[in-house]
């Protein structure tokens, strides 16, 4: 089964080059960069933290990001230790700097979809749509830029959604204990 998944991943990576154009390259680099360090999610979180009625949602987003990134970046990546596709490319084929850490699962994607999950459980539809659009763009950009395989991103999506949902439940219990 893992060989079939790797074969599909390799096929997707090999065909990405056919989709490239200067405009798409700029869009995908911008989308991926927005996910660096969770920058876009902290920016989106600011109004929630400032406006008192939304403050718990903002705090929950930060909690979800910390929870998800601990699991993804500090634990799973170092257990699986999957090489990134970009590690096998020539320098002239790269559009962004070669990430130095492992590929599986996608940290950008897991962070993005944990925020989607929190938004689904706590926010209004317009907020959910904005967050979902940003998350999808970041996830697609990671495969387009060949820093992740498709399976890294798909697992990152599932992991993010599950961690986000779990964080809402856990966060609610913590808040109830202190209020």
């Amino acid at each position: 089964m893992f060989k079939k998944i790797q074969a599909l991943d390799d096929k997707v990576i090999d065909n990405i080059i056919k989709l490239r154009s200067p405009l798409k390259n700029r869009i995908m680099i911008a989308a991926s960069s927005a996910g660096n360090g969770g920058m876009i999610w902290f920016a989106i979180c600011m109004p929630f933290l400032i406006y008192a009625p939304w403050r718990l949602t903002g705090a929950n987003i930060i909690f979800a990001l910390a929870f998800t990134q601990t699991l993804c970046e500090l634990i799973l990546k170092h257990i699986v230790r999957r090489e990134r596709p970009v590690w096998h490319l020539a320098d002239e084929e790269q559009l962004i700097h070669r990430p130095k850490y492992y590929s599986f699962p996608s940290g950008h994607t897991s962070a993005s979809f944990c925020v989607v999950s929190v938004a689904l459980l706590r926010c209004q539809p317009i907020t959910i749509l904005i967050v979902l659009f940003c998350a999808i763009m970041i996830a697609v950009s990671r495969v387009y830029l060949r820093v992740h395989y498709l399976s890294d991103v798909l697992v990152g999506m599932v992991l993010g959604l599950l961690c986000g949902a779990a964080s809402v439940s856990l966060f609610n219990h913590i808040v109830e204990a202190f209020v």
Side-chain angles (χ1 to χ4, degrees):
M1 182 166 116
F2 289 115
K3 286 183 181 182
K4 287 182 180 181
I5 292 170
Q6 187 63 54
L8 176 62
D9 281 341
D10 290 338
K11 189 173 185 172
V12 169
I13 289 297
D14 291 342
N15 285 303
I16 289 291
I17 196 77
K18 296 173 187 171
L19 300 174
R20 287 191 167 176
S21 73
L23 176 61
K24 288 179 200 167
N25 292 351
R26 286 193 300 276
I27 291 168
M28 293 300 164
I29 291 169
S32 182
S33 296
N36 290 348
M39 181 174 59
I40 191 168
W41 307 122
F42 289 111
I44 286 174
C45 198
M46 281 301 147
F48 288 97
L49 293 172
I50 292 168
Y51 186 57
W54 299 347
R55 199 163 287 146
L56 287 178
T57 299
N60 196 157
I61 291 170
I62 292 172
F63 181 78
L65 285 166
F67 177 63
T68 305
Q69 291 306 98
T70 299
L71 180 61
C72 179
E73 297 291 335
L74 300 179
I75 299 172
L76 292 176
K77 281 191 185 220
H78 295 283
I79 291 171
V80 177
R81 300 172 64 97
R82 185 179 197 188
E83 292 184 353
R84 291 178 181 269
V86 74
W87 290 356
H88 305 284
L89 298 177
D91 288 342
E92 61 272 2
E93 292 182 80
Q94 298 178 147
L95 294 176
I96 61 172
H97 292 293
R98 218 178 245 145
K100 55 184 172 181
Y101 298 109
Y102 298 109
S103 186
F104 183 89
S106 169
H108 280 68
T109 304
S110 62
S112 299
F113 279 85
C114 86
V115 178
V116 168
S117 191
V118 173
L120 283 167
L121 295 169
R122 292 196 174 273
C123 296
Q124 298 297 317
I126 188 67
T127 303
I128 296 166
L129 290 175
I130 292 166
V131 168
L132 183 60
F133 175 78
C134 293
I136 290 169
M137 288 300 297
I138 290 170
V140 168
S141 76
R142 302 305 284 172
V143 177
Y144 181 92
L145 295 171
R146 298 190 290 178
V147 293
H148 282 290
Y149 293 105
L150 178 62
S151 62
D152 300 339
V153 168
L154 294 174
V155 170
M157 292 169 85
V158 171
L159 178 68
L161 290 168
L162 292 173
C163 286
S167 79
V168 170
S169 179
L170 194 57
F171 188 80
N172 288 342
H173 288 301
I174 292 168
V175 168
E176 287 173 13
F178 289 100
V179 174

